[in-house]
Amino acid sequence: MTTNPNSENSTPPSPRDEFMEKFVREHPEFLKKLFEKVPRILPEELDVCACVHKGLKNRTTSKILDMSERSVESHRRSVCFKAGLKDGQRLRSYLKIL
């Protein structure tokens, strides 16, 4: 039995799902390139990187991804470490050149 996406019983997409779907449409190669550069990156970190790439603040990112601001900050630090960014290098600048 298939579910009709327009039926009353279907669940609406989460803000995260909506954001990521639009992001992938606008930047189809970004996540692949990032994964190639940082192969140990976690799925949550990929999501945070997509938000950083779009220039979103931590508070907005936390609301979209349904996580605390501290988790967003932690994921950002983790990506910087895994990508080998030095102190003072900005994650957004790094992501923009991918």
Side-chain angles (χ1 to χ4, degrees), residues 21-36:
E21 184 178 312
K22 182 178 179 186
F23 182 85
V24 169
R25 273 196 317 268
E26 293 172 357
H27 308 279
E29 295 295 315
F30 175 79
L31 296 176
K32 178 184 173 194
K33 289 179 183 178
L34 179 57
F35 189 74
E36 287 172 355

Side-chain angles (χ1 to χ4, degrees), residues 19-20 30 34 42-54 56 58 61 65 67 71-77 79 91 95:
F19 174 83
M20 291 305 294
F30 175 79
L34 179 57
L42 300 174
E44 295 86 359
E45 294 167 345
L46 286 169
D47 294 346
V48 169
C49 285
C51 292
V52 170
H53 186 270
K54 293 294 278 185
L56 302 180
N58 288 350
T61 298
L65 301 181
M67 63 176 64
S71 292
V72 172
E73 292 165 5
S74 176
H75 288 311
R76 288 178 68 132
R77 278 191 305 275
V79 171
L91 180 59
L95 297 174

Side-chain angles (χ1 to χ4, degrees), residues 53-71:
H53 186 270
K54 293 294 278 185
L56 302 180
K57 303 285 186 201
N58 288 350
R59 177 169 286 169
T60 305
T61 298
S62 73
K63 289 178 182 176
I64 289 171
L65 301 181
D66 193 28
M67 63 176 64
S68 71
E69 282 186 64
R70 288 192 67 158
S71 292

